[in-house]
């Protein structure tokens, strides 16, 4: 293959695959060439997938992962916000059920004097996408030009918009390949995929919310910790002040999973209310972002309490064409799920709630699917709450009632009710903090 | 990918890749589906290469390899020689430098009453191909129909011809993929690739010559032994009486490497002469083939000595259009390489001689390259022989003298001359015999 029209290349693809297969380190030059050659089509998909499997099984060290990430960044554009009048900080979550934190967090941090250039994606599978949620706000648009983004950052301080295809395009192609070749679960590749986009985005500080538990991509704390440490090292090596929090995703965040449902809950938080766990995590992440951006003397709790965060939210939504006062879409049909016994809700599985919300229409199975703005799940109890037989546990919402059956199937066995008095206090929401060592 | 026009399949490709990635065994049904789905294009090359890498790194057990081989066989035609009036036996060599053994062996075994249906290939890289060698005989043709093959087996008893594309076609496609994805060196895949073709060929008995040493694909005896045991188990599981010999390939076999040069040496062996090592290995393999085919009371040494093997050779060559009396091609140019010191030739590297012969024009770098019939290397001394400074060690032959320089480069450092009297007896040619346990 490739003998005709042969152009001399710096390296041989098969030699590079063999080296990683045989547990050798790849040199900086080999890695830079590999990503560039993949982008140019000199390395074919079937070669890259074999290399990805070798990386998954044999690993890469810190220097190799840094080089890999740098090469991904070099495959595309880099944004630069150093001309802004204030520091920048961004947040990335590895994805969870009911994880609407970006919505209150970005305007809150902006209200505290740090600009938040948040490039987001749409959801695929059981975790929702931030853009899908915001698109339930009438008029709001996700696509901004770079100039619009910079202007909004300067004027409002927060922007949440779609990432252009120009950032780390080689990563985009590699991610699609990994998805169909069983090579998604490689920590070096997950870490460099996330961090190449965040570093190319040009943020000065970055806080990572690495989820752990049934509803997260990482089911156990050890693996999540390794991913967090790898990403913090990558950010630090690239000159971005990076911190990670490992947070619990064994149960949904807040009381809602679904697009408009989560926007409504986020607005409650910005109004000074909302569920405790959402408020707690929003404040914890805001404090980390402010500290990483060098802003030490501002308490974000004040900005929530006094309405400044809400003002920033309204400005942010308006700047992107949205109407912050518009009525949010409501699903046409709903169905209540009740508790089968008296006691304490001791477990409510995040993955099962996430899959139910997805099946109700809140998420998509393939990129081109539409989502329903009003679909999803509203919880009426969380782990630790006392419940009685017949009491509503949750309400399912959808425009298409034929979806209820499969959503209920997904929820089967998804919670436990322990006898009253049994000890069932939920664990801490923030499990661990990982900073540059 | 693959969502449009979706047809329900028994298995999901990514699940199968993940299972092997996570060191699980694949079921018989999963393996049968995998090979069939690959042949149908449902499994894409980038998925198969990731699976091949996972197999290379995590292995397959005996049952999985048997299933994999059976699935490869099921992807194509099966030949059947059970209607012949005599038993059949075949030989396969994993490839070595100067390995012309098939040429005297097939007619010798035929002369002893066992039919030899030998489907061969052309050479790629530093080891020559049996068909390339025979095509240096004027008029000889490699392509026979199945009917011609059966008739020749009945009338002459030996046939050496090109394998049709109908045998194990999925293996052919997988081999091409492995070649460009660093996944050739997986013992389960090497074993099933060889054995699927040999079992589909329909031979009743099979003797494997597994080469070990610098000129072989397997450089160390442990790996070669594992490959031999795996292939013997596969043959046995498929009802083919299979035996393997591990043989030394640290130095070339015989005194010639090159197409017509090796035919000439083979004819010397059939005439009762020829180098000791070629005679020894030919007889060892012939005895194994006769025993595996159930013929116990015939000594192949007699058939070499009394001319019956030569008669079978002449009949075999004539039956395929060749002229056994024709003058073989001779290269236009030659160059002598001499010894630099007095002493005993203590080492002569098989790989370096093989690469030199290849560069002189005896082999090809890509499938579509032509080979030179007369090109190659003739050795004038073998390890253990006494040499004196200035004495010819070998003669290089080519039609294209500009090739001498790169052939000499390949030979650089390729031999050692020890002081006379130093102990340097070469090791045994047949290292180990592997039979069904």
């Amino acid at each position: 293959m490739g003998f005709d029209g042969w152009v001399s290349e710096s390296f041989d693809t098969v030699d590079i695959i063999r080296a990683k297969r045989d547990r050798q380190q790849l040199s900086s030059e080999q890695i830079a060439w590999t990503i560039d050659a993949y982008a140019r089509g000199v390395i074919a998909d079937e070669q890259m997938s074999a290399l990805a499997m070798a990386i998954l099984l044999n690993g890469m060290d810190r220097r190799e992962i840094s080089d890999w990430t740098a090469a991904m960044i070099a495959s595309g554009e880099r944004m630069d916000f150093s001309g802004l009048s204030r520091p920048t900080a961004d947040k990335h979550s590895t994805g969870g059920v009911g994880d609407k934190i970006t919505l209150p967090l970005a305007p809150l941090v902006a209200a505290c004097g740090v600009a938040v250039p948040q490039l987001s994606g749409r959801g695929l599978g059981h975790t929702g996408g931030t853009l899908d949620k915001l698109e339930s706000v009438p008029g709001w648009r996700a696509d901004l030009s770079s100039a619009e983004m910079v202007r909004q950052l300067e004027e409002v301080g927060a922007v949440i918009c779609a990432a252009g295809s120009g950032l780390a395009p080689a990563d985009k192609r590699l991610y699609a390949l990994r998805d169909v070749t069983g090579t998604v679960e490689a920590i070096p590749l997950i870490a460099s995929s996330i961090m190449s986009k965040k570093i190319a985005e040009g943020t000065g500080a970055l806080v990572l919310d690495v989820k752990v538990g049934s509803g997260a991509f990482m089911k156990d704390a050890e693996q999540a910790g390794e991913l967090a440490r790898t990403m913090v090292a990558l950010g630090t090596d690239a000159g971005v002040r990076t911190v990670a929090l490992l947070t619990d995703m064994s149960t949904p965040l807040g009381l809602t999973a679904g697009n408009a449902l989560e926007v409504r809950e986020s607005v409650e938080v910005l109004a000074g209310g909302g569920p405790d766990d959402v408020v707690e995590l929003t404040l914890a992440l805001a404090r980390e972002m402010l500290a990483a951006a060098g802003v030490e003397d501002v308490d974000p709790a004040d900005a929530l309490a006094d309405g400044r965060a809400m003002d920033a939210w309204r400005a942010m939504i308006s700047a992107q064409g949205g109407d912050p006062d518009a009525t949010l879409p409501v699903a046409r049909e709903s169905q209540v799920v009740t508790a089968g016994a008296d006691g304490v809700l001791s477990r409510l599985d995040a993955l099962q709630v996430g899959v139910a919300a997805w099946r109700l229409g809140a998420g998509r199975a393939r990129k081109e699917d539409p989502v329903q703005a009003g679909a999803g799940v509203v919880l009426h109890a969380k782990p630790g709450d006392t419940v009685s037989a017949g009491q509503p546990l949750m309400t399912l919402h959808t425009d298409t009632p034929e979806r209820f059956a499969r959503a209920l199937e997904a929820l089967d066995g998804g919670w436990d009710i322990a006898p009253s008095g049994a000890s069932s206090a939920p664990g801490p929401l923030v499990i661990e903090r990982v900073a540059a060592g």
Side-chain angles (χ1 to χ4, degrees), chain A residues 53-338:
Chain A
M53 182 60 80
I55 289 170
L56 188 148
L57 290 169
N58 290 340
M60 290 205 286
D61 70 12
R62 178 169 176 170
R63 196 266 310 150
E64 288 177 290
I65 303 173
S66 271
D67 287 339
W68 188 276
T69 305
M72 286 294 178
I73 295 167
S75 76
E77 301 158 12
R78 270 190 96 139
M79 303 185 77
D80 181 6
F81 298 118
S82 59
L84 284 183
S85 62
R86 38 185 161 178
T88 51
D90 193 8
K91 189 260 313 190
H92 178 81
S93 161
T94 60
V97 176
D99 183 7
K100 70 279 295 173
I101 303 291
T102 293
L103 276 55
L105 179 66
L108 172 60
V109 171
C112 296
V114 171
V116 182
Q118 170 95 46
L119 299 180
S120 287
R122 287 183 171 77
L124 196 62
H126 75 276
T127 62
T130 297
L131 301 183
D132 293 325
K133 295 170 193 177
L134 285 168
E135 283 175 343
S136 69
V137 177
W140 187 87
R141 63 188 174 91
D143 292 309
L144 298 185
S145 69
S146 291
E148 287 173 317
M149 196 178 166
V150 170
R151 191 167 59 239
Q152 184 171 334
L153 278 176
E154 193 65 72
E155 292 172 5
V156 178
V159 63
I160 301 173
C161 64
S165 58
L167 297 181
D171 177 73
K172 190 171 181 175
R173 190 171 152 211
L174 179 60
Y175 190 86
L177 179 69
R178 287 165 54 211
D179 195 39
V180 297
T181 58
T183 52
V184 167
E185 293 86 347
I187 284 179
L189 298 179
I190 297 168
S192 70
S193 176
I194 292 170
M195 294 303 292
S196 61
K197 282 172 286 190
K198 287 293 163 185
I199 295 167
E201 176 193 289
T203 185
L206 177 64
V207 177
L208 300 161
D209 182 3
V210 179
K211 301 291 190 192
V212 192
S214 81
F217 182 65
M218 294 283 166
K219 309 297 180 197
D220 72 88
E222 196 183 326
Q223 275 212 307
E226 189 189 336
L227 177 61
R229 284 185 295 276
T230 303
M231 292 195 293
V232 168
L234 279 175
T236 305
D237 288 351
V240 178
R241 290 177 302 283
T242 308
V243 170
L245 298 183
L246 258 62
T247 70
D248 182 55
M249 187 31 70
S250 57
T251 205
L253 256 178
L255 294 169
T256 57
N259 300 308
L261 295 171
E262 294 191 44
V263 171
R264 196 169 296 124
E265 188 169 85
S266 300
V267 171
E268 287 170 21
V269 170
L270 289 160
D276 289 348
D277 57 349
V278 177
V279 175
E280 177 189 344
L281 188 53
T282 301
L283 288 175
L285 290 165
R287 291 191 179 105
E288 293 290 354
M289 288 170 74
L290 295 173
V295 174
E296 302 281 356
D297 51 354
V298 178
D299 184 354
D302 295 340
L304 263 192
D306 66 15
R308 279 180 288 146
M310 179 68 96
D311 292 343
W313 161 264
R314 295 176 60 87
M316 178 182 87
I317 294 296
S318 301
Q320 289 174 245
D323 176 1
D325 297 314
T327 304
L328 292 169
V330 174
R332 283 194 288 270
E333 309 278 342
S334 67
Q335 184 163 334
V336 173
V337 177
T338 57

